[in-house]
Amino acid sequence: MSQAIALAAFLNTHLQNEHREALTLMITDIAESCKKIAIAIDSGALEGNMGSLGSENIQGEVQKALDVISNDIFVEANQRSGYVAGMVSEEISDVIEVAEKHKQHGQYLLLFDPLDGSSNVNVNISVGTIFSILKSSNNHPKLVDFLQPGVSQICAGYAMYGSSTMFVLTTGNGVNGFTLDAESGKFYLTHPDMQIPKDTQEFAVNMSNYRFWQEPVQRYIDECLQGEEGDRGKDFNMRWVASMVAEVHRILIRGGVFLYPMDSKLRNQGGKLRLMYEANPISFIVEQAGGAATTGTKRILEIKPMGIHERVPVMLGSKNEIDRIVKYHALKKR
Ligand code: AHG
Ligand code: MN
Ligand code: MN
């Protein structure tokens, strides 16, 4: 461990732009929050925190105790830097205001999914936390100040509470992964300059939705399933964890595609995944690692948001596969 670069030392050399001081403090607070969430998850059953609360969040989804605990940890711990002017969380319907005394500098907006994949939490399968940082034009941000396209993000990342706890980060200059050393409580750089292979033979999608998908997605998956005997001439493998963080982490390590496409059940709500704190931060990371992210017809990072909890179709991962999916959508439109 003596040779390994700790997160603090990494930030010190890696951050070189005008956001340097702010990002250093905000990322440090975020990483600390993720450590606290990891501890809450680890001791979940012991603390009686594994169940559902019987309440629903703004999205109409059942809240788990750990959804709310993770949200509260994140909101509390990220007011310290003095740079966060306002927050948006999956679990809270409105903009979260930051107290005046915590806004010495203000100027930045923090958006997050405190616990991604929370349906997995009581079956002991990987979950994560996703975050995105935007610049604010003022110190008292209103909802409209958050509605910036993904290309405006200055930082995005996720923590993954898996077989080890990891913290993966981009500030627009590549993607770097850190592993939590439980003994020292520090994150160390273990995955420098993560790159998604351009080609893959692995896809992740909830196959039970097949009959609700649009034709271009059905075509793509049909061809994967036909394997060596079909047009693609090669066999594919499938994974579905039901935690986007875990799927994306696997894609960053060994390539692959992740699809949560539009389907006829989701049409009224626009898709499954939330643009501002799921699709945008993850798409930023994926592009920074050499991958691509699309709705099928549009680059996710260029979507002009209409609401803080807006949902979108998401298809991302290995570049050549995503290009193929985009092509199938374009052919259908003609
Ligand atoms: P969340 O737990 O934050 O609501 O997000 C869950 C998301 C995503 O992580 C995952 O890929 C997908 O929902 C799982 O959907 P299915 O239950 O349809 O498989
Ligand atoms: Mn989520
Ligand atoms: Mn969540």
Side-chain angles (χ1 to χ4, degrees), residues 40-226:
I41 293 166
D42 280 349
S43 56
L46 300 172
E47 303 283 337
N49 287 339
M50 295 315 246
S52 298
L53 288 178
S55 53
E56 287 185 353
N57 66 11
I58 171 73
Q59 343 266 345
E61 296 164 341
V62 174
Q63 284 181 309
K64 301 264 192 225
L66 276 166
D67 280 321
V68 173
I69 291 166
S70 305
N71 177 73
D72 294 350
I73 289 172
F74 222 78
V75 170
E76 204 273 319
N78 288 296
Q79 308 213 5
R80 298 203 196 113
S81 67
Y83 281 98
V84 178
M87 303 188 208
V88 155
S89 165
E90 178 189 330
E91 302 302 331
I92 308 284
S93 52
D94 298 320
V95 167
I96 303 165
E97 287 182 21
V98 172
E100 277 314 307
K101 62 174 185 204
H102 291 307
K103 288 198 291 197
Q104 297 92 321
H105 309 284
Q107 297 170 356
Y108 294 89
L109 306 173
L110 178 61
L111 302 89
F112 56 95
D113 174 356
L115 203 59
D116 175 61
S118 59
S119 72
N120 282 329
V121 81
N122 54 354
V123 288
N124 211 348
I125 293 175
S126 296
V127 289
T129 297
I130 309 172
F131 67 91
S132 163
I133 298 176
L134 295 164
K135 188 87 172 62
S136 179
S137 56
N138 71 77
N139 224 355
H140 296 91
K142 301 265 174 300
L143 192 146
V144 64
D145 296 296
F146 287 81
L147 302 180
Q148 305 176 35
V151 286
S152 302
Q153 294 170 101
I154 59 162
C155 176
Y158 64 81
M160 180 175 158
Y161 315 108
S163 35
S164 53
T165 293
M166 285 201 63
F167 189 68
V168 174
L169 185 70
T170 184
T171 56
N173 182 20
V175 179
N176 289 280
F178 303 80
T179 302
L180 181 64
D181 170 36
E183 233 154 80
S184 66
K186 287 185 179 168
F187 283 102
Y188 287 97
L189 181 64
T190 47
H191 296 64
D193 194 20
M194 299 175 90
Q195 293 286 334
I196 300 174
K198 299 268 177 274
D199 292 298
T200 186
Q201 296 184 220
E202 198 160 69
F203 64 90
V205 70
N206 186 338
M207 279 297 293
S208 68
N209 293 324
Y210 179 94
R211 70 187 188 282
F212 304 112
W213 297 336
Q214 295 169 324
E215 192 271 335
V217 175
Q218 286 179 335
R219 174 182 173 189
Y220 175 75
I221 295 296
D222 283 345
E223 290 177 0
C224 293
L225 296 177
Q226 284 153 12

